Amino acid sequence: MSKFKYHIMTVTIIALIILAGCGNENEAESSDVSKEMDYTITGLEPGAGQTETNEIAIETYDNLEGWTQDLSSTGAMLSALDEAIKAEKPIIITAWSPHYMFAKWDIKYLEDPEGVYGEEEDVITIVREGLQKDAPEAYEILDRITFELEDVENALLDAQELEMDEVADKWVEENKDTIANWTEGLDEVSGESFELVTTPWDDALFSGNVAKKVLTDFGYDVELTPVDPAVLFEAIATGESDASLSPWVSQTHGELYEQYEGEFEDLGPNLTGAKIGLAVPSYMEIDSLTDLKPKK
């Protein structure tokens, strides 16, 4: 064998040994991280929708065998996240967007190749039938209203210190150009009543309060009422309420959407990128649920 061929073979063998070592090291790191987290997902309240979805994930992924959830409350989960990040320790939490957790901490979703948590969703604006004829200015404003995910999450962080109507007022004041685009070319009204309904979720309360502020400044007498999602769809379908910016489709409120489809008008998304899943601090060197290890 020539010295050149011998040299090439030696280099190749060394490279393979290094790669194998890196692979074993990464696998060991992943195993250690899972063990350090005690094979536990820091979760929400018992009975919450995502709590049940987490159980499905544990059953679906073979590498999550032996994993459990630590259930208490959203506040307790976020406190645990804060403590873990301050200490740069590993933690895996139940997450959803939009939520202020993504504005306050540097965290990332873990990939979900089995699709347990579903695809990203849209938050849509729906209005009662006949609204375009009865209140064309409000209809047009609502049709133009859209939000960026990051803006909503930053606003929800502000809501930890302020009331939601104050957060909406602040956002409208800081986004005058956006509001001008929503109302451009429309004539103000004078005291016409308008009924908005919203789910009681924070992101929906924010968008609902922004819409209320904009419509009120435009001359409408606006009432904003938080209700259960089923009541919301029924109120729009029957004409009892005029509009909502709250529904998540096509999964979260998909059944209600289908149940009342044809009895309301869908103006399309006011927010894209809504989702649920499991998240970890960005400093953790794992990217997928499949990077976790089963409990031995």
Side-chain angles (χ1 to χ4, degrees):
M1 180 184 296
S2 69
K3 290 184 178 179
F4 177 75
K5 288 184 178 179
Y6 179 80
H7 177 71
I8 293 296
M9 287 180 64
T10 302
V11 170
T12 301
I13 291 170
I14 292 173
L16 289 173
I17 291 172
I18 291 172
L19 287 172
C22 289
N24 291 336
E25 183 179 343
N26 289 339
E27 184 174 348
E29 286 178 0
S30 177
S31 180
D32 289 345
V33 164
S34 298
K35 183 178 181 180
E36 193 172 348
M37 293 188 291
D38 196 25
Y39 308 97
T40 300
I41 297 167
T42 304
L44 305 174
E45 300 81 2
Q50 269 185 264
T51 297
E52 296 174 5
T53 306
N54 291 347
E55 288 299 327
I56 295 172
I58 290 171
E59 294 172 5
T60 300
Y61 285 90
D62 292 340
N63 60 297
L64 295 183
E65 183 180 355
W67 279 69
T68 59
Q69 295 189 74
D70 180 14
L71 304 179
S72 55
S73 68
T74 302
M77 180 190 76
L78 295 176
S79 294
L81 172 65
D82 187 55
E83 291 174 5
I85 288 178
K86 286 177 179 177
E88 289 197 17
K89 291 184 177 181
I91 187 172
I92 181 169
I93 66 162
T94 302
W96 62 96
S97 305
H99 190 279
Y100 76 83
M101 67 178 81
F102 287 94
K104 185 171 182 177
W105 297 288
D106 186 10
I107 59 177
K108 62 183 179 181
Y109 281 107
L110 292 180
E111 295 172 8
D112 171 29
E114 295 293 338
V116 172
Y117 294 93
E119 301 295 328
E120 289 187 352
E121 296 192 73
D122 294 333
V123 185
I124 62 171
T125 301
I126 61 174
V127 302
R128 64 171 174 83
E129 291 185 329
L131 184 68
Q132 186 174 22
K133 178 181 177 181
D134 298 337
E137 296 84 3
Y139 178 95
E140 186 61 33
I141 291 171
L142 290 166
D143 193 34
R144 295 176 184 180
I145 289 179
T146 57
F147 299 96
E148 296 295 328
L149 183 62
E150 184 177 354
D151 287 347
V152 175
E153 291 178 338
N154 285 325
L156 297 183
L157 183 58
D158 287 342
Q160 303 311 297
E161 304 293 336
L162 302 171
E163 296 297 325
M164 197 63 77
D165 58 342
E166 295 175 318
V167 174
D169 289 348
K170 177 176 180 285
W171 191 89
V172 169
E173 180 64 25
E174 293 174 350
N175 290 273
K176 291 181 178 179
D177 290 344
T178 297
I179 307 305
N181 289 334
W182 292 352
T183 59
E184 183 180 5
L186 302 175
D187 296 325
E188 292 188 2
V189 300
S190 181
E192 284 90 335
S193 62
F194 200 88
E195 296 287 335
L196 286 171
V197 283
T198 176
T199 60
W201 300 353
D202 285 349
D203 64 287
L205 291 170
F206 167 70
S207 61
N209 273 280
V210 168
K212 177 182 178 180
K213 170 67 174 172
V214 173
L215 291 171
T216 298
D217 289 348
F218 204 73
Y220 286 97
D221 180 14
V222 184
E223 186 75 24
L224 175 65
T225 306
V227 295
D228 179 83
V231 175
L232 183 151
F233 274 89
E234 182 180 5
I236 301 295
T238 60
E240 182 179 341
S241 297
D242 293 305
S244 178
L245 295 85
S246 303
W248 284 38
V249 294
S250 58
Q251 298 169 75
T252 302
H253 297 134
E255 290 185 7
L256 289 169
Y257 187 101
E258 292 177 3
Q259 179 182 343
Y260 290 99
E261 192 169 10
E263 300 178 55
F264 60 83
E265 185 174 352
D266 181 350
L267 300 187
N270 61 67
L271 176 74
T272 59
K275 66 180 295 185
I276 64 172
L278 295 177
V280 298
S282 294
Y283 55 74
M284 288 180 62
E285 296 182 358
I286 58 172
D287 298 304
S288 171
L289 290 174
T290 58
D291 291 334
L292 300 169
K293 300 300 177 183
K295 185 175 183 179
K296 299 298 185 180

PDB file of all heavy atoms in Angstrom, residues 4-25:
ATOM      1  N   PHE A   4       0.545   7.360   0.388  1.00  0.00           N
ATOM      2  CA  PHE A   4      -0.582   8.285   0.175  1.00  0.00           C
ATOM      3  C   PHE A   4      -1.905   7.609   0.543  1.00  0.00           C
ATOM      4  O   PHE A   4      -2.735   8.171   1.262  1.00  0.00           O
ATOM      5  CB  PHE A   4      -0.605   8.735  -1.294  1.00  0.00           C
ATOM      6  CG  PHE A   4      -1.777   9.630  -1.622  1.00  0.00           C
ATOM      7  CD1 PHE A   4      -1.795  10.956  -1.200  1.00  0.00           C
ATOM      8  CD2 PHE A   4      -2.867   9.124  -2.320  1.00  0.00           C
ATOM      9  CE1 PHE A   4      -2.884  11.763  -1.494  1.00  0.00           C
ATOM     10  CE2 PHE A   4      -3.943   9.932  -2.610  1.00  0.00           C
ATOM     11  CZ  PHE A   4      -3.953  11.260  -2.199  1.00  0.00           C
ATOM     12  N   LYS A   5      -2.101   6.349   0.046  1.00  0.00           N
ATOM     13  CA  LYS A   5      -3.337   5.620   0.360  1.00  0.00           C
ATOM     14  C   LYS A   5      -3.425   5.352   1.861  1.00  0.00           C
ATOM     15  O   LYS A   5      -4.501   5.435   2.458  1.00  0.00           O
ATOM     16  CB  LYS A   5      -3.382   4.304  -0.421  1.00  0.00           C
ATOM     17  CG  LYS A   5      -3.640   4.485  -1.910  1.00  0.00           C
ATOM     18  CD  LYS A   5      -3.758   3.140  -2.602  1.00  0.00           C
ATOM     19  CE  LYS A   5      -4.071   3.303  -4.081  1.00  0.00           C
ATOM     20  NZ  LYS A   5      -4.168   1.991  -4.770  1.00  0.00           N
ATOM     21  N   TYR A   6      -2.293   5.020   2.469  1.00  0.00           N
ATOM     22  CA  TYR A   6      -2.295   4.759   3.911  1.00  0.00           C
ATOM     23  C   TYR A   6      -2.713   6.011   4.682  1.00  0.00           C
ATOM     24  O   TYR A   6      -3.490   5.952   5.644  1.00  0.00           O
ATOM     25  CB  TYR A   6      -0.898   4.304   4.343  1.00  0.00           C
ATOM     26  CG  TYR A   6      -0.785   4.043   5.819  1.00  0.00           C
ATOM     27  CD1 TYR A   6      -1.235   2.846   6.368  1.00  0.00           C
ATOM     28  CD2 TYR A   6      -0.245   5.010   6.675  1.00  0.00           C
ATOM     29  CE1 TYR A   6      -1.146   2.607   7.729  1.00  0.00           C
ATOM     30  CE2 TYR A   6      -0.157   4.777   8.026  1.00  0.00           C
ATOM     31  CZ  TYR A   6      -0.601   3.569   8.550  1.00  0.00           C
ATOM     32  OH  TYR A   6      -0.513   3.341   9.890  1.00  0.00           O
ATOM     33  N   HIS A   7      -2.206   7.156   4.222  1.00  0.00           N
ATOM     34  CA  HIS A   7      -2.533   8.429   4.874  1.00  0.00           C
ATOM     35  C   HIS A   7      -4.027   8.724   4.744  1.00  0.00           C
ATOM     36  O   HIS A   7      -4.671   9.132   5.722  1.00  0.00           O
ATOM     37  CB  HIS A   7      -1.713   9.554   4.234  1.00  0.00           C
ATOM     38  CG  HIS A   7      -2.033  10.919   4.796  1.00  0.00           C
ATOM     39  ND1 HIS A   7      -1.668  11.299   6.068  1.00  0.00           N
ATOM     40  CD2 HIS A   7      -2.694  11.972   4.237  1.00  0.00           C
ATOM     41  CE1 HIS A   7      -2.084  12.532   6.289  1.00  0.00           C
ATOM     42  NE2 HIS A   7      -2.706  12.962   5.190  1.00  0.00           N
ATOM     43  N   ILE A   8      -4.601   8.515   3.565  1.00  0.00           N
ATOM     44  CA  ILE A   8      -6.025   8.765   3.332  1.00  0.00           C
ATOM     45  C   ILE A   8      -6.870   7.869   4.225  1.00  0.00           C
ATOM     46  O   ILE A   8      -7.842   8.305   4.852  1.00  0.00           O
ATOM     47  CB  ILE A   8      -6.396   8.535   1.861  1.00  0.00           C
ATOM     48  CG1 ILE A   8      -5.723   9.594   0.971  1.00  0.00           C
ATOM     49  CG2 ILE A   8      -7.916   8.575   1.675  1.00  0.00           C
ATOM     50  CD1 ILE A   8      -6.183  11.010   1.247  1.00  0.00           C
ATOM     51  N   MET A   9      -6.493   6.579   4.302  1.00  0.00           N
ATOM     52  CA  MET A   9      -7.244   5.648   5.142  1.00  0.00           C
ATOM     53  C   MET A   9      -7.177   6.055   6.614  1.00  0.00           C
ATOM     54  O   MET A   9      -8.168   5.994   7.333  1.00  0.00           O
ATOM     55  CB  MET A   9      -6.692   4.224   4.973  1.00  0.00           C
ATOM     56  CG  MET A   9      -7.050   3.588   3.638  1.00  0.00           C
ATOM     57  SD  MET A   9      -6.386   1.923   3.512  1.00  0.00           S
ATOM     58  CE  MET A   9      -7.282   1.106   4.825  1.00  0.00           C
ATOM     59  N   THR A  10      -6.024   6.490   7.037  1.00  0.00           N
ATOM     60  CA  THR A  10      -5.858   6.901   8.434  1.00  0.00           C
ATOM     61  C   THR A  10      -6.741   8.098   8.757  1.00  0.00           C
ATOM     62  O   THR A  10      -7.433   8.129   9.780  1.00  0.00           O
ATOM     63  CB  THR A  10      -4.384   7.247   8.718  1.00  0.00           C
ATOM     64  OG1 THR A  10      -3.574   6.114   8.426  1.00  0.00           O
ATOM     65  CG2 THR A  10      -4.196   7.663  10.175  1.00  0.00           C
ATOM     66  N   VAL A  11      -6.736   9.082   7.877  1.00  0.00           N
ATOM     67  CA  VAL A  11      -7.553  10.286   8.074  1.00  0.00           C
ATOM     68  C   VAL A  11      -9.032   9.917   8.111  1.00  0.00           C
ATOM     69  O   VAL A  11      -9.801  10.414   8.929  1.00  0.00           O
ATOM     70  CB  VAL A  11      -7.281  11.321   6.967  1.00  0.00           C
ATOM     71  CG1 VAL A  11      -8.301  12.457   7.038  1.00  0.00           C
ATOM     72  CG2 VAL A  11      -5.863  11.866   7.087  1.00  0.00           C
ATOM     73  N   THR A  12      -9.437   9.016   7.196  1.00  0.00           N
ATOM     74  CA  THR A  12     -10.844   8.605   7.123  1.00  0.00           C
ATOM     75  C   THR A  12     -11.277   7.909   8.412  1.00  0.00           C
ATOM     76  O   THR A  12     -12.346   8.168   8.959  1.00  0.00           O
ATOM     77  CB  THR A  12     -11.065   7.662   5.933  1.00  0.00           C
ATOM     78  OG1 THR A  12     -10.690   8.337   4.731  1.00  0.00           O
ATOM     79  CG2 THR A  12     -12.529   7.244   5.840  1.00  0.00           C
ATOM     80  N   ILE A  13     -10.436   7.002   8.902  1.00  0.00           N
ATOM     81  CA  ILE A  13     -10.759   6.273  10.135  1.00  0.00           C
ATOM     82  C   ILE A  13     -10.873   7.230  11.305  1.00  0.00           C
ATOM     83  O   ILE A  13     -11.797   7.136  12.114  1.00  0.00           O
ATOM     84  CB  ILE A  13      -9.683   5.195  10.412  1.00  0.00           C
ATOM     85  CG1 ILE A  13      -9.788   4.082   9.352  1.00  0.00           C
ATOM     86  CG2 ILE A  13      -9.858   4.613  11.819  1.00  0.00           C
ATOM     87  CD1 ILE A  13      -8.635   3.109   9.398  1.00  0.00           C
ATOM     88  N   ILE A  14      -9.955   8.175  11.399  1.00  0.00           N
ATOM     89  CA  ILE A  14     -10.000   9.159  12.490  1.00  0.00           C
ATOM     90  C   ILE A  14     -11.280   9.976  12.420  1.00  0.00           C
ATOM     91  O   ILE A  14     -11.939  10.225  13.431  1.00  0.00           O
ATOM     92  CB  ILE A  14      -8.761  10.078  12.435  1.00  0.00           C
ATOM     93  CG1 ILE A  14      -7.497   9.277  12.761  1.00  0.00           C
ATOM     94  CG2 ILE A  14      -8.918  11.260  13.394  1.00  0.00           C
ATOM     95  CD1 ILE A  14      -6.220  10.047  12.561  1.00  0.00           C
ATOM     96  N   ALA A  15     -11.663  10.391  11.190  1.00  0.00           N
ATOM     97  CA  ALA A  15     -12.885  11.191  11.013  1.00  0.00           C
ATOM     98  C   ALA A  15     -14.112  10.398  11.445  1.00  0.00           C
ATOM     99  O   ALA A  15     -15.017  10.926  12.102  1.00  0.00           O
ATOM    100  CB  ALA A  15     -13.029  11.624   9.554  1.00  0.00           C
ATOM    101  N   LEU A  16     -14.142   9.106  11.072  1.00  0.00           N
ATOM    102  CA  LEU A  16     -15.286   8.273  11.460  1.00  0.00           C
ATOM    103  C   LEU A  16     -15.359   8.104  12.969  1.00  0.00           C
ATOM    104  O   LEU A  16     -16.438   8.091  13.561  1.00  0.00           O
ATOM    105  CB  LEU A  16     -15.173   6.901  10.784  1.00  0.00           C
ATOM    106  CG  LEU A  16     -15.416   6.889   9.266  1.00  0.00           C
ATOM    107  CD1 LEU A  16     -15.100   5.507   8.700  1.00  0.00           C
ATOM    108  CD2 LEU A  16     -16.853   7.281   8.955  1.00  0.00           C
ATOM    109  N   ILE A  17     -14.202   7.953  13.610  1.00  0.00           N
ATOM    110  CA  ILE A  17     -14.168   7.812  15.070  1.00  0.00           C
ATOM    111  C   ILE A  17     -14.691   9.081  15.738  1.00  0.00           C
ATOM    112  O   ILE A  17     -15.470   9.040  16.683  1.00  0.00           O
ATOM    113  CB  ILE A  17     -12.740   7.501  15.553  1.00  0.00           C
ATOM    114  CG1 ILE A  17     -12.335   6.091  15.094  1.00  0.00           C
ATOM    115  CG2 ILE A  17     -12.634   7.631  17.070  1.00  0.00           C
ATOM    116  CD1 ILE A  17     -10.882   5.759  15.356  1.00  0.00           C
ATOM    117  N   ILE A  18     -14.284  10.242  15.188  1.00  0.00           N
ATOM    118  CA  ILE A  18     -14.731  11.528  15.744  1.00  0.00           C
ATOM    119  C   ILE A  18     -16.238  11.677  15.585  1.00  0.00           C
ATOM    120  O   ILE A  18     -16.948  12.069  16.516  1.00  0.00           O
ATOM    121  CB  ILE A  18     -13.995  12.702  15.062  1.00  0.00           C
ATOM    122  CG1 ILE A  18     -12.524  12.694  15.460  1.00  0.00           C
ATOM    123  CG2 ILE A  18     -14.645  14.031  15.437  1.00  0.00           C
ATOM    124  CD1 ILE A  18     -11.678  13.699  14.699  1.00  0.00           C
ATOM    125  N   LEU A  19     -16.747  11.345  14.371  1.00  0.00           N
ATOM    126  CA  LEU A  19     -18.185  11.451  14.125  1.00  0.00           C
ATOM    127  C   LEU A  19     -18.967  10.520  15.034  1.00  0.00           C
ATOM    128  O   LEU A  19     -20.013  10.892  15.581  1.00  0.00           O
ATOM    129  CB  LEU A  19     -18.495  11.132  12.660  1.00  0.00           C
ATOM    130  CG  LEU A  19     -18.079  12.205  11.642  1.00  0.00           C
ATOM    131  CD1 LEU A  19     -18.272  11.684  10.221  1.00  0.00           C
ATOM    132  CD2 LEU A  19     -18.873  13.487  11.863  1.00  0.00           C
ATOM    133  N   ALA A  20     -18.463   9.319  15.189  1.00  0.00           N
ATOM    134  CA  ALA A  20     -19.144   8.365  16.072  1.00  0.00           C
ATOM    135  C   ALA A  20     -19.140   8.871  17.504  1.00  0.00           C
ATOM    136  O   ALA A  20     -20.132   8.767  18.228  1.00  0.00           O
ATOM    137  CB  ALA A  20     -18.466   7.000  15.991  1.00  0.00           C
ATOM    138  N   GLY A  21     -18.009   9.449  17.901  1.00  0.00           N
ATOM    139  CA  GLY A  21     -17.929   9.991  19.248  1.00  0.00           C
ATOM    140  C   GLY A  21     -18.895  11.129  19.457  1.00  0.00           C
ATOM    141  O   GLY A  21     -19.551  11.223  20.501  1.00  0.00           O
ATOM    142  N   CYS A  22     -19.021  11.996  18.437  1.00  0.00           N
ATOM    143  CA  CYS A  22     -19.967  13.111  18.530  1.00  0.00           C
ATOM    144  C   CYS A  22     -21.384  12.601  18.637  1.00  0.00           C
ATOM    145  O   CYS A  22     -22.200  13.129  19.401  1.00  0.00           O
ATOM    146  CB  CYS A  22     -19.837  14.025  17.317  1.00  0.00           C
ATOM    147  SG  CYS A  22     -18.301  14.993  17.299  1.00  0.00           S
ATOM    148  N   GLY A  23     -21.665  11.568  17.837  1.00  0.00           N
ATOM    149  CA  GLY A  23     -23.020  11.001  17.880  1.00  0.00           C
ATOM    150  C   GLY A  23     -23.330  10.445  19.252  1.00  0.00           C
ATOM    151  O   GLY A  23     -24.406  10.669  19.804  1.00  0.00           O
ATOM    152  N   ASN A  24     -22.384   9.708  19.811  1.00  0.00           N
ATOM    153  CA  ASN A  24     -22.588   9.143  21.148  1.00  0.00           C
ATOM    154  C   ASN A  24     -22.700  10.237  22.197  1.00  0.00           C
ATOM    155  O   ASN A  24     -23.474  10.153  23.136  1.00  0.00           O
ATOM    156  CB  ASN A  24     -21.429   8.208  21.502  1.00  0.00           C
ATOM    157  CG  ASN A  24     -21.445   6.941  20.653  1.00  0.00           C
ATOM    158  OD1 ASN A  24     -22.489   6.549  20.158  1.00  0.00           O
ATOM    159  ND2 ASN A  24     -20.275   6.334  20.478  1.00  0.00           N
ATOM    160  N   GLU A  25     -21.884  11.314  21.990  1.00  0.00           N
ATOM    161  CA  GLU A  25     -21.927  12.427  22.938  1.00  0.00           C
ATOM    162  C   GLU A  25     -23.276  13.120  22.898  1.00  0.00           C
ATOM    163  O   GLU A  25     -23.858  13.441  23.937  1.00  0.00           O
ATOM    164  CB  GLU A  25     -20.811  13.424  22.607  1.00  0.00           C
ATOM    165  CG  GLU A  25     -20.729  14.584  23.584  1.00  0.00           C
ATOM    166  CD  GLU A  25     -19.596  15.540  23.242  1.00  0.00           C
ATOM    167  OE1 GLU A  25     -18.703  15.137  22.465  1.00  0.00           O
ATOM    168  OE2 GLU A  25     -19.618  16.676  23.740  1.00  0.00           O
TER     169      GLU A  25
END
